[in-house]
Structure formats: structure tokens, C-alpha cells
Amino acid sequence: MKRVGLGGIFTVLALVVLLGSTPAMAQSNQRLEASPSGGAMVADALIARPLLVVATLGGTAVFLVSLPFTALGGNVDSAAETLIKTPTEAAFRRCLGCKVSRRADEF
């Protein structure tokens, strides 16, 4: 089994931070698009969704490693929200090509 180098770990952490914070910022100031373009749907399906799935897996790993420390600090809920829930909702809950992580029937 190959060992993951320090650069690989930092790359995964950077993706988690970058992709985990983007949907939260997008929710605050953008509305759901009624009909996203075909290009947005293709880019979402081929680029954004796979990266968000990787960010979800990376966030879950970081959450599990940091769980003893976050439990001692009393902020397990906020860590889970940031590292797991936000990228998961962005990857699996929004419509294809949309920028907001909610279903259309929730607005």
C-alpha cells in the first residue's frame, strides 16, 4: 500500500476547505436558478460533483481524526456541519447545474 505524502495530505485539506466553504457562501446571496444552462449541468456533473464527493470523504476523514479534540472543546456539531454536512448537501442534494444546495421544492 502506498503512503500518502505530506503534499497529498495538504492537497486534500485544501480541497476540503475550499469546496466546503463555497456552498455556504453561495447560499447566502444567490437564488435558485429556474433553468440552468446545459453547460452548467455538464460542468456540474463532470467536475463539481466528483470534487464535492472527494471533499465529503476528506472532510469525514479530517472530522474523525479531530473528533477527540473537538469533543474536548465542545464543538462537535459545528465541526460536523462544516466538514461533513455542507459538502454532502452540495454534492447530493442540489439539482444538476444549480448553485444553491437546496431542492427546488424547499423554497
Side-chain angles (χ1 to χ4, degrees), residues 26-27 29-42 44 94-105 107:
Q27 285 182 2
N29 60 2
Q30 293 182 355
R31 294 176 42 185
L32 183 68
E33 294 179 10
S35 58
S37 68
M41 289 182 182
V42 170
D44 191 15
R94 64 185 168 89
C95 66
L96 193 62
C98 293
K99 295 181 173 144
V100 179
S101 296
R102 292 187 185 159
R103 294 183 182 148
D105 60 352
F107 285 98

Side-chain angles (χ1 to χ4, degrees), residues 26-97:
Q27 285 182 2
S28 64
N29 60 2
Q30 293 182 355
R31 294 176 42 185
L32 183 68
E33 294 179 10
S35 58
S37 68
M41 289 182 182
V42 170
D44 191 15
L46 296 178
I47 298 170
R49 298 290 171 111
L51 287 176
L52 285 166
V53 170
V54 170
T56 300
L57 295 174
T60 302
V62 171
F63 175 75
L64 290 175
V65 168
S66 67
L67 187 58
F69 308 107
T70 56
L72 288 173
N75 58 347
V76 174
D77 292 337
S78 63
E81 175 84 24
T82 303
L83 294 173
I84 299 173
K85 186 178 179 187
T86 301
T88 301
E89 284 185 349
F92 298 110
R93 198 161 182 214
R94 64 185 168 89
C95 66
L96 193 62

